[in-house]
Amino acid sequence: MPELTRRHYPERQDCWHVYYGDVQVGTIAIRTGVPHHADSWGWICGFYPGSEPGEYLDGTAATFDKARADFAAAWRIFLSKRTEADFEAWRDARDWTERKYAMWDAGKKLEPPSYGPGKPCSRFRRCHCGDVFDMHCLNENLVHVPHISVAERISRPANV
């Protein structure tokens, strides 16, 4: 079973991301904009996807060590409600996001979403020739208009 590890967030020296294996499961950081008499450290425990929206634990503490201990206690509670499928959901979302940004950096479009029963899509359409095309792209529309027109004429009953 993985252990909790902390990694400095590179953009803030007073912020740590907490990981359980390869899954980021929370953050411990100095709170900004709070009065001097309030707890200066805050923590949040949870991850999404892999849990329900809003299903997280959080709190504040006067010191980093107290925040770390409180986080560890909250993590035991949060982890007791998780399955391996929850962690896989988070990994799948992370991997998809990495692929998306890599494609954008390479100047490419995202692949069309799956098209089929129960998967409505307002941008892509399956032509009667079998291709899925982007209806927002004029060139792709022009290629498939003849196929769609013929198929719709055939499927429409003749007026009697």
Side-chain angles (χ1 to χ4, degrees), residues 58-146:
D58 63 347
T60 63
T63 66
F64 173 76
D65 289 333
K66 176 71 169 131
R68 191 176 69 180
D70 291 350
F71 182 95
W75 173 247
R76 286 189 292 279
I77 294 166
F78 189 83
L79 179 61
S80 70
K81 302 174 186 176
R82 303 279 68 85
T83 65
E84 184 55 33
D86 298 329
F87 292 97
E88 280 304 312
W90 188 90
R91 289 181 189 107
D92 291 345
R94 175 200 59 200
D95 296 345
W96 182 86
T97 301
E98 287 176 6
R99 284 192 309 275
K100 175 180 75 171
Y101 286 117
M103 289 181 71
W104 286 359
D105 289 345
K108 297 179 180 174
K109 290 193 284 186
L110 293 175
E111 64 273 1
S114 298
Y115 186 90
K119 296 182 181 178
C121 183
S122 61
R123 181 174 183 141
F124 297 93
R125 179 175 178 175
R126 182 174 300 280
C127 179
H128 295 282
C129 71
D131 289 344
V132 174
F133 68 98
D134 183 348
M135 292 188 298
H136 293 188
C137 180
L138 179 61
N139 291 337
E140 292 184 33
N141 268 294
L142 294 175
V143 168
H144 296 284
V145 165

Side-chain angles (χ1 to χ4, degrees), residues 13-47:
Q13 287 305 307
D14 58 358
C15 178
W16 285 264
H17 287 174
V18 182
Y19 287 83
Y20 181 72
D22 63 334
V23 176
Q24 183 183 345
V25 297
T27 302
I28 301 173
I30 289 278
R31 298 167 60 208
T32 58
V34 296
H36 294 294
H37 65 277
D39 289 343
S40 56
W41 288 91
W43 56 268
I44 186 164
C45 174
F47 58 91

